[in-house]
Amino acid sequence: SLLAVGTGALASRRSLRQKLRQRPWRRRRGRMATSAVGPSGRDPWTETPTRCRLEGGSSKTVGAWTGIEQIGIAPKPGGGSRNYYLAQGLLGAQEVSNILACVSEGGQYELGPDTVDGMPTFEYYPLQDGQWMDERMRSVLEEAMETRVLPYIRERYSCPTCCVADILVRRYVPGERRTHGVHFDGHAFVTAVLGLSDPATFEGGLYLQPGPGSDSRIFPRIEP
């Protein structure tokens, strides 16, 4: 299974206050038109994608984290590009194990219609609108968020007032949700995805799609 914890909305404190006042709009997401089969005729849902393994990187110390930061480049169809970043070792092996123990319990997952595809979400929010909803997850995740993930985001995106607004857990297992369509995280200033599963144990995973066609998809290799 693929289990990912996303800091789904790292917004400025002012934006977070506005967001709390406008809660009905919290889960609205933009949509991007995409073709089911790319120009090459490849079907992205039936063929095993090739994961992009970034090479090199530079040593970086931010807050309580010291590790390797790698930078990937996603070309835009109209010219120019966007960067995405892979920070290795933001979570320790024991922290990943503790988080997996928490998220493996199925009772807290929501089954309402997803805002992207209308299918059951199989998701839950340990932290929502800046407030912890799951004290067990708080005990295993808060220190990493406050001393490693958040300081890294603040420095990388030059936003010293960023704060964690939401943490979202999604579950992808046989018989439940298996895909998630293209969408924009329009409610987030920055989205950080923390991989919890060994990439060798599943196919697919998180992808970035800078262009309208499925052939532009980039599958970063995210280690737990």
Side-chain angles (χ1 to χ4, degrees):
S1 63
L2 172 61
L3 298 167
V5 177
T7 51
L10 287 168
S12 69
R13 296 188 187 277
R14 179 180 177 184
S15 297
L16 178 56
R17 288 195 297 269
Q18 292 174 341
K19 181 179 174 192
L20 290 173
R21 289 196 297 268
Q22 300 172 352
R23 184 183 174 106
W25 300 99
R26 180 182 61 80
R27 297 183 64 186
R28 170 179 270 182
R29 298 181 183 177
R31 297 171 183 259
M32 178 188 293
T34 181
S35 57
V37 178
S40 65
R42 182 177 62 85
D43 185 343
W45 301 115
T46 59
E47 293 192 10
T48 302
T50 300
R51 293 197 183 98
C52 175
R53 185 190 294 271
L54 299 179
E55 302 294 339
S58 58
S59 179
K60 196 176 185 70
T61 298
V62 181
W65 171 71
T66 297
I68 302 298
E69 179 192 59
Q70 297 176 303
I71 302 176
I73 300 176
K76 299 174 65 177
S81 63
R82 294 283 188 181
N83 290 346
Y84 60 95
Y85 303 92
L86 179 61
Q88 298 181 5
L90 281 173
L91 295 179
Q94 187 58 54
E95 288 174 313
V96 171
S97 178
N98 292 341
I99 293 169
L100 282 172
C102 291
V103 302
S104 294
E105 299 177 359
Q108 68 269 47
Y109 287 88
E110 298 178 9
L111 302 179
D114 188 82
T115 55
V116 173
D117 58 17
M119 301 296 289
T121 57
F122 292 103
E123 68 181 18
Y124 89 100
Y125 285 82
L127 183 145
Q128 191 172 51
D129 294 334
Q131 302 295 318
W132 283 98
M133 312 299 290
D134 185 332
E135 287 299 319
R136 187 181 177 195
M137 278 287 281
R138 180 178 187 176
S139 68
V140 300
L141 195 55
E142 185 175 38
E143 187 271 338
M145 291 292 103
E146 295 297 328
T147 67
R148 283 170 267 158
V149 178
L150 188 54
Y152 172 77
I153 294 294
R154 286 173 171 170
E155 179 173 307
R156 164 47 64 196
Y157 292 93
S158 302
C159 184
T161 61
C162 280
C163 58
V164 181
D166 296 299
I167 298 178
L168 167 67
V169 180
R170 277 191 175 275
R171 184 171 72 186
Y172 299 87
V173 297
E176 296 182 356
R177 174 172 286 278
R178 304 298 284 157
T179 65
H180 200 220
V182 179
H183 62 277
F184 295 103
D185 280 353
H187 60 289
F189 173 64
V190 175
T191 298
V193 176
L194 307 178
L196 301 178
S197 299
D198 183 346
T201 64
F202 63 90
E203 296 179 355
L206 174 75
Y207 65 85
L208 311 174
Q209 185 170 317
S214 59
D215 279 5
S216 70
R217 290 178 184 174
I218 301 169
F219 287 79
R221 182 180 174 88
I222 301 179
E223 303 284 350

Coordinates of all heavy atoms in Angstrom, one line a residue, residues 182-223:
V182 N -5.5 14.1 -11.8 CA -4.8 15.3 -11.8 C -5.6 16.4 -11.1 O -6.8 16.6 -11.4 CB -4.4 15.7 -13.3 CG1 -3.7 17.0 -13.3 CG2 -3.6 14.5 -13.9
H183 N -4.9 17.2 -10.3 CA -5.6 18.4 -9.7 C -4.5 19.3 -9.2 O -3.3 19.0 -9.2 CB -6.4 17.9 -8.5 CG -5.6 17.3 -7.4 ND1 -5.2 15.9 -7.4 CD2 -5.1 17.7 -6.2 CE1 -4.5 15.6 -6.4 NE2 -4.4 16.7 -5.6
F184 N -4.9 20.6 -8.9 CA -4.1 21.5 -8.3 C -4.4 21.6 -6.8 O -5.5 21.5 -6.3 CB -4.4 23.0 -8.8 CG -4.1 23.1 -10.3 CD1 -5.1 23.1 -11.2 CD2 -2.8 23.3 -10.7 CE1 -4.8 23.3 -12.6 CE2 -2.5 23.4 -12.1 CZ -3.5 23.5 -13.0
D185 N -3.3 21.7 -6.0 CA -3.5 22.0 -4.5 C -3.7 23.5 -4.4 O -2.8 24.1 -3.8 CB -2.3 21.4 -3.7 CG -2.4 20.0 -3.5 OD1 -3.4 19.3 -3.8 OD2 -1.4 19.4 -3.0
G186 N -4.8 24.0 -4.9 CA -5.0 25.4 -4.9 C -5.2 26.0 -3.5 O -5.0 27.2 -3.4
H187 N -5.5 25.2 -2.5 CA -5.7 25.8 -1.2 C -4.4 25.9 -0.4 O -4.3 26.4 0.7 CB -6.6 24.8 -0.4 CG -6.1 23.4 -0.2 ND1 -6.0 22.6 -1.3 CD2 -5.6 22.8 0.8 CE1 -5.5 21.4 -0.8 NE2 -5.2 21.5 0.4
A188 N -3.2 25.4 -1.0 CA -2.0 25.4 -0.3 C -1.0 26.4 -0.8 O -0.9 26.5 -2.0 CB -1.4 24.0 -0.3
F189 N -0.2 27.0 0.1 CA 1.0 27.8 -0.4 C 2.1 26.8 -0.8 O 2.7 27.0 -1.8 CB 1.5 28.7 0.8 CG 2.7 29.4 0.5 CD1 2.8 30.3 -0.5 CD2 3.9 29.1 1.2 CE1 4.0 31.0 -0.8 CE2 5.1 29.8 1.0 CZ 5.1 30.7 -0.1
V190 N 2.3 25.8 0.0 CA 3.3 24.7 -0.3 C 2.6 23.4 0.1 O 2.0 23.3 1.2 CB 4.6 24.9 0.4 CG1 5.5 23.7 0.2 CG2 5.3 26.2 0.0
T191 N 2.8 22.3 -0.6 CA 2.5 21.0 -0.2 C 3.7 20.2 -0.1 O 4.6 20.1 -1.0 CB 1.5 20.3 -1.2 OG1 0.3 21.1 -1.3 CG2 1.2 18.9 -0.8
A192 N 3.9 19.5 1.1 CA 5.0 18.6 1.3 C 4.5 17.2 1.5 O 3.5 17.0 2.2 CB 5.8 19.0 2.6
V193 N 5.1 16.2 0.8 CA 4.6 14.9 0.8 C 5.7 14.0 1.5 O 6.8 14.1 1.1 CB 4.3 14.3 -0.6 CG1 3.9 12.8 -0.5 CG2 3.2 15.1 -1.2
L194 N 5.3 13.3 2.5 CA 6.2 12.4 3.2 C 5.9 11.0 2.9 O 4.8 10.5 3.3 CB 6.1 12.7 4.8 CG 6.3 14.1 5.2 CD1 6.1 14.2 6.7 CD2 7.6 14.7 4.8
G195 N 6.8 10.3 2.2 CA 6.5 8.9 1.9 C 6.7 8.0 3.0 O 7.7 8.2 3.8
L196 N 5.8 7.0 3.2 CA 5.9 6.1 4.3 C 6.2 4.7 3.9 O 6.4 3.8 4.7 CB 4.6 6.1 5.1 CG 4.2 7.5 5.7 CD1 2.8 7.4 6.4 CD2 5.3 8.0 6.6
S197 N 6.1 4.4 2.6 CA 6.2 3.0 2.1 C 7.5 2.9 1.2 O 7.8 3.8 0.5 CB 5.0 2.6 1.3 OG 3.8 2.6 2.1
D198 N 8.1 1.7 1.3 CA 9.3 1.5 0.4 C 8.8 1.4 -1.0 O 7.9 0.7 -1.4 CB 9.9 0.1 0.9 CG 11.1 -0.2 0.1 OD1 11.4 0.4 -0.9 OD2 11.8 -1.2 0.5
P199 N 9.4 2.2 -1.9 CA 9.0 2.2 -3.3 C 9.1 0.9 -4.0 O 8.5 0.6 -5.0 CB 10.0 3.3 -4.0 CG 10.5 4.1 -2.8 CD 10.5 3.2 -1.6
A200 N 9.9 0.0 -3.4 CA 10.1 -1.4 -4.0 C 8.8 -2.2 -3.8 O 8.7 -3.3 -4.4 CB 11.3 -2.0 -3.5
T201 N 8.0 -1.8 -2.9 CA 6.8 -2.6 -2.6 C 5.5 -2.2 -3.3 O 4.5 -2.9 -3.1 CB 6.5 -2.5 -1.0 OG1 6.2 -1.2 -0.7 CG2 7.7 -2.9 -0.2
F202 N 5.6 -1.2 -4.2 CA 4.4 -0.9 -4.9 C 4.8 -0.2 -6.3 O 5.9 0.1 -6.5 CB 3.5 0.1 -4.1 CG 4.2 1.4 -3.8 CD1 4.1 2.5 -4.7 CD2 4.9 1.6 -2.7 CE1 4.7 3.7 -4.4 CE2 5.6 2.8 -2.4 CZ 5.4 3.9 -3.3
E203 N 3.8 -0.1 -7.2 CA 4.0 0.5 -8.5 C 3.3 1.9 -8.4 O 2.3 2.0 -7.7 CB 3.5 -0.3 -9.6 CG 4.2 -1.6 -9.8 CD 3.6 -2.5 -10.9 OE1 2.6 -2.1 -11.5 OE2 4.2 -3.5 -11.2
G204 N 3.7 2.8 -9.2 CA 3.0 4.1 -9.3 C 3.5 5.0 -8.2 O 4.7 5.1 -7.9
G205 N 2.6 5.7 -7.6 CA 3.0 6.7 -6.5 C 2.7 8.1 -6.9 O 2.0 8.4 -7.9
L206 N 3.2 9.0 -6.1 CA 3.0 10.4 -6.4 C 3.6 10.8 -7.8 O 4.7 10.3 -8.1 CB 3.7 11.2 -5.3 CG 3.7 12.8 -5.6 CD1 2.4 13.4 -5.3 CD2 4.8 13.4 -4.7
Y207 N 2.8 11.6 -8.5 CA 3.4 12.1 -9.8 C 3.1 13.6 -9.9 O 2.2 14.1 -9.3 CB 2.9 11.4 -11.0 CG 1.4 11.5 -11.3 CD1 0.9 12.6 -12.0 CD2 0.5 10.6 -10.9 CE1 -0.4 12.7 -12.3 CE2 -0.9 10.7 -11.1 CZ -1.3 11.8 -11.9 OH -2.7 11.9 -12.1
L208 N 4.0 14.3 -10.7 CA 3.8 15.7 -11.0 C 3.6 15.7 -12.5 O 4.2 15.0 -13.3 CB 5.1 16.5 -10.7 CG 5.7 16.3 -9.3 CD1 7.1 17.0 -9.2 CD2 4.8 16.7 -8.2
Q209 N 2.6 16.6 -12.9 CA 2.3 16.7 -14.3 C 2.3 18.2 -14.7 O 1.3 18.9 -14.6 CB 0.9 16.1 -14.6 CG 0.5 16.1 -16.1 CD -0.7 15.3 -16.3 OE1 -0.9 14.2 -15.8 NE2 -1.6 15.8 -17.2
P210 N 3.5 18.6 -15.3 CA 3.6 20.0 -15.6 C 2.9 20.4 -16.9 O 2.6 21.6 -17.2 CB 5.1 20.2 -15.8 CG 5.6 18.8 -16.2 CD 4.7 17.9 -15.4
G211 N 2.5 19.4 -17.8 CA 1.9 19.7 -19.0 C 0.5 19.1 -19.1 O 0.1 18.3 -18.2
P212 N -0.3 19.4 -20.1 CA -1.7 18.9 -20.3 C -1.7 17.4 -20.6 O -2.8 16.7 -20.3 CB -2.3 19.7 -21.4 CG -1.1 20.1 -22.2 CD 0.0 20.3 -21.3
G213 N -0.7 16.8 -21.2 CA -0.7 15.4 -21.5 C -0.1 14.5 -20.5 O 0.8 14.9 -19.7
S214 N -0.6 13.3 -20.4 CA -0.1 12.3 -19.4 C 1.4 12.0 -19.6 O 2.1 11.5 -18.7 CB -0.9 11.1 -19.4 OG -0.9 10.4 -20.7
D215 N 1.9 12.2 -20.8 CA 3.3 11.8 -21.1 C 4.3 12.8 -20.4 O 5.5 12.5 -20.3 CB 3.6 11.9 -22.6 CG 3.2 10.7 -23.4 OD1 2.6 9.8 -22.7 OD2 3.4 10.6 -24.6
S216 N 3.8 13.9 -19.8 CA 4.6 14.8 -19.1 C 4.8 14.4 -17.7 O 5.5 15.1 -16.9 CB 4.1 16.2 -19.2 OG 2.9 16.4 -18.5
R217 N 4.1 13.4 -17.2 CA 4.2 13.0 -15.8 C 5.6 12.6 -15.3 O 6.3 11.9 -16.0 CB 3.2 11.9 -15.5 CG 1.7 12.3 -15.6 CD 0.8 11.2 -15.4 NE -0.6 11.6 -15.6 CZ -1.7 10.9 -15.6 NH1 -1.5 9.6 -15.4 NH2 -2.9 11.4 -15.8
I218 N 5.9 13.1 -14.1 CA 7.2 12.8 -13.5 C 6.8 12.1 -12.2 O 6.1 12.5 -11.4 CB 8.0 14.1 -13.2 CG1 8.2 14.9 -14.5 CG2 9.3 13.8 -12.4 CD1 8.8 16.3 -14.2
F219 N 7.4 10.9 -12.0 CA 7.2 10.1 -10.8 C 8.5 10.2 -9.9 O 9.4 9.4 -10.1 CB 6.9 8.6 -11.2 CG 5.5 8.4 -11.7 CD1 5.2 8.7 -13.1 CD2 4.5 7.9 -10.9 CE1 4.0 8.5 -13.6 CE2 3.2 7.7 -11.5 CZ 3.0 8.0 -12.8
P220 N 8.5 11.1 -9.0 CA 9.7 11.1 -8.1 C 9.8 9.9 -7.2 O 8.8 9.4 -6.8 CB 9.5 12.4 -7.3 CG 8.4 13.2 -7.9 CD 7.6 12.1 -8.6
R221 N 11.0 9.4 -7.0 CA 11.2 8.3 -6.1 C 11.3 8.8 -4.7 O 12.3 9.5 -4.4 CB 12.5 7.5 -6.5 CG 12.7 6.3 -5.6 CD 14.0 5.5 -6.0 NE 14.2 4.5 -5.1 CZ 13.8 3.2 -5.2 NH1 12.9 2.9 -6.2 NH2 14.1 2.3 -4.3
I222 N 10.3 8.6 -3.9 CA 10.2 9.1 -2.5 C 10.5 8.0 -1.5 O 9.7 7.0 -1.4 CB 8.9 9.8 -2.2 CG1 8.6 10.9 -3.2 CG2 8.8 10.3 -0.8 CD1 7.3 11.6 -3.0
E223 N 11.6 8.0 -0.9 CA 12.0 7.0 0.1 C 11.3 7.3 1.5 O 11.1 8.5 1.8 CB 13.5 7.0 0.3 CG 14.3 6.7 -1.0 CD 14.3 5.3 -1.4 OE1 13.8 4.4 -0.7 OE2 14.7 5.0 -2.5

